[in-house]
Amino acid sequence: MSDNMADTLYDGASRLDDINADFRATPKFAMKQRPEPTRTATKVAVLLPADYGGGTLRGAINLAIQIADGAKATGDQLVVEFGYVDGKNSAPHGAFAELRERGIPYRTMIVTSLPQMHLSLVDKSRTPEHFEAEPSILVFNDGVSNFDDADYRIIVSDRLIGGVASPTSPFAIVAYDFIQRYVPEIFDSGDPALTWRTCTAMMRSYQYADCVIVTSSQAASDANAYAGVPRARLVQVPMSFDPLELADTVSAPITDKRLENGYIVWTTNATPHKNHRTVLKGLTTFYSKNPGAPPSVITGVFTEHFARAIPGDPVSEVPYVKEIRDLIANNFSLRRKLIVKGNLSDSDYSSLLKSATALLHGAIFDNGTFSVVEAAWHGVPAISSRYRAMEELSEAFELTPTYFDATDADSLADMLELALRNLTSLKNALPTREQLRQHSRDAKGPAVWALLRPRVLSGPPMTDLGPSDSMSCSRSGRQRLDRQKDSSYFLPTSSRD
Amino acid sequence: MRQGFDSNEVSPHSYELLAYPVAPGILLEPAKRRLDLFKRLKIILRRSGSGLQNTFVYVGSHLGPLPLTLLRVLAILASVLMLPVALLGMALFAVWRTLMRQLALLRDRLNTSGWWRGPSQALMARIVDAAFDLEAQRLGKRIQRNSEIASIFVPFSFIGKPLNVIRKPKVIVFPDAVHGVFPTRYYGHVNDQVTGRIRDSIDIADEIICYSKHVAVSQLLHFFGEQAADKPIQVIPQGFFHELAVPDCDDDRKLRFVNRFPEWCSYLPSYELREVPYIVYPSVDRPHKNFMTLLRAVELLIRRHHVNIKLVTTSHAVNPDCANFIVRNRLFMDILYAPELNQADLAFLIRNARLVVHASLAEGGDIFNFSRGVVSDVPVLMSDIPVVREMFERWNIPESTFASWLFPATDSEALALAIKKALVDRSALLEQQREAYKQLSKYDYKAMAAAYYDVVSNARLHR
């Protein structure tokens, strides 16, 4: 070997040593640390994993918009994507226009369940602790990335059937309510035992969620006491609503002659917790005492099945829906005074609402309905059943609906009479649009982002924090526990009730 | 397509034609589409018979004369014996049915006198009882021979006749005879043998101790007056548990709840008891413990009044009525079972409760859960039963003070309202009960033990 060659080789070898030394020093090869992300923008996926239409779809879209707008206002580099299931409850036309305007990509997905053992390579540092013990995981199959590249996922629903969400990134679950705790009949369809087993199994996801997002203190206390979510992992975001301003410019005049002299809008859907039996009984009493009173217009998802059975549609065959349909059909007062409009688009609903005499809301229990807020927006007073979430919503939006006892049909009849006699004063008591705008989605966006920001932008997970005696806390969640003592991270919930 | 098809002859193949009547050139009337089942059966039998015969001929043709003859003989024998075998089978079946019926009757009879036990378990229980009797007698004889033992104290009344061998003063404790107060609730739970033992124990006793005046009068003298009427009866109430005053510490423990309804509930969260509002009823679900009223009240609170509350009980068992109620009303996530807790876990459970509710329809004496709750800074609601009133009236605590702590024992609506009110007025209620506790706690376990010692040491033979 010539000296030159030897020198070259020696230089090469020493160069190789330098390169190896660099490799060993590079953090990405350190076993316990994850390298800093190479991209600067954090990706958040907002996912609606079930075929929801109506308010839930609208809520999910609004949340995505609030996060995007909030991040933009704070200068955070954030990319928001939206995934949804396209099914029978297909999104109304124009539902995604606002996402499009903000450059938020949205795509359909199919939610499937896979055995976890088939995941060959997963970044364990980003998976919740003890996650590997779960037999199956959910996959949000969009045919593109399955949202695997999201840094954070926000799943707008706890109806996670068949597995536990997301082994590849921290995730939050939005839980609007736990109606089944108060109205168990909503789960008593088909094989009740199977339904309940499935629904209780869905709650396993809570123990792996980085946080659970709620919009009311009722939902917060139920998430804590019923679903077992520790308070430290609850994030209560402010209620907000989406003014149907568009409908003001797109005029769709009411052509139904039956509605010419005023009407009451009853916004509902076809689920038992909407309390149709009591409301219909109350309406019967009301109309028998007041035959000249304005008719009632039913609108909402699946309410068209109350008018007639739709061949081939299984919703028409649900026993509860049949019962309500028969109740209406066999009641002369109701046949005369009840008009079923079914599910309307936003603009049609807005047109209907703005000319209404009053709005009726009769649920036994839910997370509060924004229909009363929308009614107030159009200067329409509301008659509502009284329950905690509704009181909370009314207080948040400075509304004073006329309350009735949800279990007492006579109370509804009396309050309807009272409300119709005092329409003027009730209208005068409604907040103005300017007051309501302070609670709009856009106005509350920054507050929502401020609450979610510490969760979403926590950065890559730190090194192993050591053993935990709590199965319910993810690694990334535990590192935030200390920070949760700072009450600015969530709105103050009521003290233990 | 078959040619020359005669619609009057139904062959198995005609099924295809009949099933698909529309064929080129053939138009069958609807009536002919109906399958002639009888005719088909005939054809099948005929073909089977001929098939069997053909099989027999085939087999026979491959056998030599001797096996064939043997086969024929066997066939003849089988056909001759078939009738008696059939008759024998029918007779055996009838005997078996009768035997089963008798066994069922026997099982029922044993069950009514056993503790919901099957026949073999009842027999085993009797064997164990007999062994217990023998051993008790043997021990009794030893006690009798020991001159250092002056008197005997038996803290229950289930031993019965084996005590007879001890000719020394015997002081027996009679806790209660709740199965006499609620005989149908205890149907099958307590057998005649147990009642007999209680009667015998009272008969043999030289002095009897009860935990409360109410039990002494309404149960001991009422059910066992013949044996107890002329015996000295002492009422020694339960003393207060000062030791239960557990210091307040930042206890970070999680209790595991037993999922009693896995067919309905796949997953029961491990609730953080320091955060979750719940009522606790530390008791075993026995027939007089009145769990059902409390379950109904909790159901009303959650479903009608929308109160955020759970119920936790330490019972290791759930009786069928309660189980049905919980399932029917889908309350398996709000009614929690935490059995077999150690003292520290029990103290933790009580300390973090919003209320202790004691719903029992009957007790032998003072309510332990009252002192347990109050020393843990948890207010207590109790059913309005005589022993509860006696507990407070003994210390001259006026009814106007303790009336609001009581609820009508079987009225779930009233209990729901009482709980709702107590959850709101928790601090005020606790403050009142602390005052009462100060009175009651003057009589502690030491005082109680001294009273027992006094009775036992001064006991004399009654006869």
Side-chain angles (χ1 to χ4, degrees):
Chain A
M1 187 186 294
S2 68
D3 286 340
N4 285 342
M5 191 183 288
D7 288 340
T8 306
L9 281 174
Y10 178 78
D11 286 341
S14 69
R15 177 70 189 131
L16 198 60
D17 283 341
D18 292 337
I19 292 169
N20 282 334
D22 284 340
F23 274 161
R24 283 188 286 274
T26 305
K28 69 180 176 181
F29 287 101
M31 293 306 293
K32 289 190 177 179
Q33 271 193 320
R34 197 172 175 269
E36 294 295 318
T38 53
R39 57 167 186 255
T40 54
T42 302
K43 187 178 276 191
V44 174
V46 178
L47 307 171
L48 186 60
D51 181 18
Y52 282 116
T56 309
L57 174 63
R58 171 55 56 190
I61 291 172
N62 286 344
L63 183 62
I65 289 171
Q66 284 177 319
I67 290 170
D69 290 351
K72 193 174 172 186
T74 54
D76 293 313
Q77 298 293 311
L78 199 74
V79 171
V80 180
E81 291 187 326
F82 187 83
Y84 67 101
V85 171
D86 192 18
K88 283 182 188 157
N89 295 321
S90 56
H93 177 71
F96 300 115
E98 288 183 290
L99 291 179
R100 210 176 300 124
E101 282 166 19
R102 284 163 176 79
I104 297 174
Y106 56 94
R107 46 191 187 268
T108 58
M109 62 185 184
I110 300 169
V111 183
T112 53
S113 173
L114 283 182
Q116 186 160 191
M117 62 182 189
H118 290 307
L119 290 178
S120 59
L121 188 65
V122 170
D123 185 349
K124 296 281 187 203
S125 65
R126 293 176 66 79
T127 60
E129 202 173 334
H130 302 295
F131 196 89
E132 58 273 9
E134 290 296 322
S136 53
I137 54 159
L138 286 181
V139 176
F140 304 98
N141 187 354
D142 59 353
V144 177
S145 65
N146 294 356
F147 302 99
D148 280 350
D149 56 346
D151 295 297
Y152 203 89
R153 303 188 200 190
I154 298 178
I155 300 168
V156 184
S157 172
D158 60 352
R159 307 283 190 260
L160 302 172
I161 301 173
V164 182
S166 189
T168 59
S169 62
F171 65 95
I173 297 176
V174 178
Y176 288 116
D177 54 54
F178 295 87
I179 297 179
Q180 68 272 24
R181 190 185 189 194
Y182 303 95
V183 189
E185 294 85 352
I186 61 166
F187 279 2
D188 281 353
S189 57
D191 180 351
L194 176 62
T195 311
W196 275 92
R197 274 204 308 278
T198 308
C199 294
T200 49
M202 291 178 201
M203 297 171 86
R204 293 187 78 86
S205 282
Y206 287 117
Q207 65 174 315
Y208 300 110
D210 181 57
C211 72
V212 175
I213 301 170
V214 294
T215 59
S216 66
S217 60
Q218 174 74 62
S221 56
D222 288 335
N224 173 241
Y226 190 69
V229 179
R231 283 174 184 248
R233 288 198 288 124
L234 284 173
V235 175
Q236 184 179 339
V237 298
M239 288 190 210
S240 59
F241 85 109
D242 187 15
L244 300 172
E245 289 187 85
L246 181 65
D248 283 342
T249 58
V250 177
S251 171
I254 306 293
T255 54
D256 196 331
K257 280 195 165 40
R258 296 172 293 179
L259 308 180
E260 277 173 357
N261 296 320
Y263 51 91
I264 301 167
V265 172
W266 176 17
T267 306
T268 181
N269 58 36
T271 50
H273 72 282
K274 294 297 187 187
N275 201 19
H276 303 97
R277 292 184 194 105
T278 306
V279 173
L280 288 171
K281 199 172 162 193
L283 286 175
T284 305
T285 307
F286 171 69
Y287 284 124
S288 63
K289 287 184 194 172
N290 306 278
S296 295
V297 179
I298 297 183
T299 174
V301 176
F302 294 139
T303 54
E304 59 273 14
H305 297 273
F306 291 156
R308 59 182 182 88
I310 298 173
D313 195 326
V315 176
S316 282
E317 299 309 311
V318 171
Y320 178 77
V321 173
K322 280 169 84 172
E323 182 195 335
I324 301 304
R325 188 167 60 239
D326 292 341
L327 232 167
I328 296 171
N330 295 331
N331 186 312
F332 177 70
S333 288
L334 294 176
R335 281 206 314 272
R336 237 174 23 99
K337 289 291 198 177
L338 213 58
I339 300 159
V340 179
K341 289 283 184 187
N343 197 18
L344 299 173
S345 65
D346 285 350
S347 55
D348 287 345
Y349 177 68
S350 185
S351 297
L352 181 73
L353 190 57
K354 66 182 179 182
S355 304
T357 308
L359 177 115
L360 172 61
H361 170 66
I364 296 174
F365 182 90
D366 58 23
N367 200 38
T369 178
F370 284 93
S371 60
V372 298
V373 184
E374 288 159 356
W377 179 264
H378 291 291
V380 175
I383 302 109
S384 170
S385 49
R386 184 189 286 272
Y387 50 95
R388 184 174 152 200
M390 203 58 222
E391 289 176 321
E392 194 180 336
L393 184 144
S394 302
E395 198 184 311
F397 290 92
E398 298 163 76
L399 302 171
T400 50
T402 305
Y403 286 117
F404 67 91
D405 182 349
T407 59
D408 186 354
D410 291 334
S411 167
L412 166 58
D414 294 338
M415 290 301 116
L416 264 175
E417 273 182 60
L418 184 69
L420 291 181
R421 274 204 304 271
N422 298 288
L423 272 178
T424 310
S425 57
L426 288 174
K427 281 185 184 179
N428 292 337
L430 290 172
T432 62
R433 284 195 175 185
E434 280 314 306
Q435 287 171 309
L436 286 173
R437 266 202 192 90
Q438 291 169 19
H439 304 285
S440 69
R441 175 199 68 198
D442 295 337
K444 292 292 182 184
V448 170
W449 175 238
L451 291 166
L452 295 177
R453 186 171 183 273
R455 301 272 182 189
V456 173
L457 293 186
S458 63
M462 293 167 65
T463 55
D464 188 0
L465 295 176
S468 165
D469 60 349
S470 166
M471 276 182 61
S472 62
C473 200
S474 67
R475 286 198 191 119
S476 48
R478 271 187 288 118
Q479 77 193 53
R480 295 180 185 99
L481 271 180
D482 291 337
R483 284 183 270 165
Q484 291 313 306
K485 289 176 187 163
D486 182 349
S487 61
S488 65
Y489 285 101
F490 50 90
L491 288 182
T493 56
S494 57
S495 57
R496 274 179 67 187
D497 39 343
Chain B
M1 197 63 61
R2 280 175 174 262
Q3 297 296 323
F5 172 67
D6 180 359
S7 61
N8 290 324
E9 180 189 329
V10 178
S11 74
H13 296 290
S14 62
Y15 174 72
E16 288 95 16
L17 282 173
L18 290 174
Y20 303 96
V22 180
I26 299 178
L27 182 66
L28 295 176
E29 293 164 14
K32 290 189 180 145
R33 293 182 210 162
R34 188 168 49 86
L35 293 172
D36 192 340
L37 185 62
F38 179 68
K39 283 187 183 171
R40 291 194 68 221
L41 276 175
K42 268 177 66 178
I43 291 161
I44 289 165
L45 280 170
R46 194 170 63 221
R47 289 199 169 181
S48 304
S50 62
L52 201 63
Q53 191 180 357
N54 290 341
T55 306
F56 189 77
V57 167
Y58 174 78
V59 168
S61 66
H62 286 80
L63 293 175
L66 187 58
L68 192 60
T69 307
L70 187 61
L71 210 61
R72 283 187 181 136
V73 167
L74 285 174
I76 292 165
L77 272 175
S79 54
V80 165
L81 290 174
M82 199 175 291
L83 183 62
V85 165
L87 287 172
L88 183 63
M90 284 165 62
L92 284 173
F93 178 71
V95 167
W96 176 78
R97 276 191 63 178
T98 308
L99 186 63
M100 287 295 112
R101 206 176 296 129
Q102 291 303 321
L103 279 176
L105 284 172
L106 180 64
R107 181 194 62 212
D108 289 340
R109 189 177 168 141
L110 285 171
N111 274 344
T112 57
S113 61
W115 199 299
W116 291 120
R117 292 170 182 158
S120 58
Q121 283 173 315
L123 182 62
M124 185 56 67
R126 288 183 193 282
I127 292 171
V128 168
D129 283 345
F132 173 80
D133 285 350
L134 285 171
E135 190 60 22
Q137 278 183 358
R138 192 179 70 82
L139 181 62
K141 284 173 185 168
R142 283 205 160 192
I143 291 170
Q144 177 60 30
R145 283 198 296 269
N146 190 329
S147 58
E148 289 181 19
I149 298 173
S151 55
I152 303 295
F153 169 62
V154 185
F156 45 83
S157 50
F158 300 122
I159 298 183
K161 283 205 173 83
L163 284 174
N164 232 349
V165 298
I166 305 174
R167 298 272 183 254
K168 298 187 182 187
K170 292 174 284 296
V171 179
I172 307 278
V173 174
F174 176 81
D176 62 50
V178 67
H179 64 288
V181 181
F182 302 102
T184 61
R185 291 290 297 165
Y186 273 88
Y187 182 76
H189 285 253
V190 180
N191 58 18
D192 298 336
Q193 205 168 7
V194 171
T195 305
R197 284 184 186 276
I198 295 173
R199 187 170 286 113
D200 292 339
S201 298
I202 294 166
D203 195 34
I204 291 162
D206 297 296
E207 282 206 42
I208 303 169
I209 294 175
C210 293
Y211 299 141
S212 65
K213 220 184 304 179
H214 169 75
V215 165
V217 170
S218 66
Q219 293 177 24
L220 173 64
L221 291 173
H222 182 74
F223 293 115
F224 305 104
E226 197 183 314
Q227 290 80 27
D230 59 345
K231 300 273 173 75
I233 300 171
Q234 304 289 335
V235 173
I236 303 180
Q238 305 287 11
F240 241 62
F241 269 121
H242 288 295
E243 291 75 20
L244 283 178
V246 182
D248 187 25
C249 55
D250 192 15
D251 198 342
D252 182 19
R253 65 177 71 207
K254 270 198 173 181
L255 300 186
R256 290 281 176 187
F257 302 105
V258 175
N259 184 1
R260 295 251 174 245
F261 308 97
E263 64 276 7
W264 287 87
C265 181
S266 305
Y267 170 68
L268 198 59
S270 185
Y271 295 101
E272 179 59 69
L273 289 183
R274 288 176 301 167
E275 295 180 350
V276 170
Y278 63 95
I279 300 164
V280 63
Y281 183 13
S283 181
V284 175
D285 187 1
R286 294 177 63 207
H288 69 283
K289 290 293 188 178
N290 199 20
F291 268 75
M292 182 62 91
T293 300
L294 183 52
L295 291 183
R296 288 193 177 124
V298 170
E299 195 261 340
L300 285 170
L301 284 168
I302 295 174
R303 298 282 157 77
R304 193 190 294 176
H305 301 281
H306 295 166
V307 176
N308 179 18
I309 201 74
K310 296 175 112 63
L311 170 65
V312 181
T313 173
T314 55
S315 179
H316 61 274
V318 51
N319 83 59
D321 294 333
C322 292
N324 286 339
F325 182 85
I326 291 170
V327 166
R328 205 169 54 243
N329 291 282
R330 317 290 191 244
L331 287 166
F332 21 80
M333 292 187 71
D334 280 317
I335 310 291
L336 304 176
Y337 286 82
E340 296 172 4
L341 299 178
N342 58 36
Q343 284 299 320
D345 284 344
L346 180 61
F348 174 82
L349 177 68
I350 294 173
R351 192 168 52 239
N352 289 286
R354 305 300 288 164
L355 275 183
V356 173
V357 175
H358 190 91
S360 179
L361 297 174
E363 292 291 352
D366 292 1
I367 311 298
F368 286 132
N369 282 330
F370 178 74
S371 56
R372 270 185 180 146
V374 176
V375 298
S376 306
D377 293 336
V378 178
V380 184
L381 290 180
M382 292 154 284
S383 49
D384 191 353
I385 54 176
V387 289
V388 171
R389 286 180 171 265
E390 187 181 324
M391 182 169 81
F392 297 117
E393 283 165 356
R394 188 184 306 129
W395 296 99
N396 299 319
I397 296 169
E399 187 184 350
S400 55
T401 302
F402 65 77
S404 61
W405 310 343
L406 310 184
F407 58 88
T410 56
D411 190 342
S412 55
E413 301 244 7
L415 175 54
L417 290 173
I419 292 172
K420 201 174 170 190
K421 186 167 184 293
L423 289 173
V424 172
D425 298 333
R426 204 170 165 268
S427 307
L429 179 60
L430 183 59
E431 205 45 53
Q432 282 182 348
Q433 292 184 342
R434 278 195 186 121
E435 287 302 313
Y437 168 75
K438 279 182 196 160
Q439 291 290 326
L440 273 68
S441 62
K442 287 175 187 168
Y443 174 72
D444 60 8
Y445 255 76
K446 289 179 187 164
M448 175 185 166
Y452 271 86
Y453 181 75
D454 189 49
V455 170
V456 174
S457 57
N458 292 318
R460 296 285 175 265
L461 277 172
H462 183 67
R463 54 186 175 200

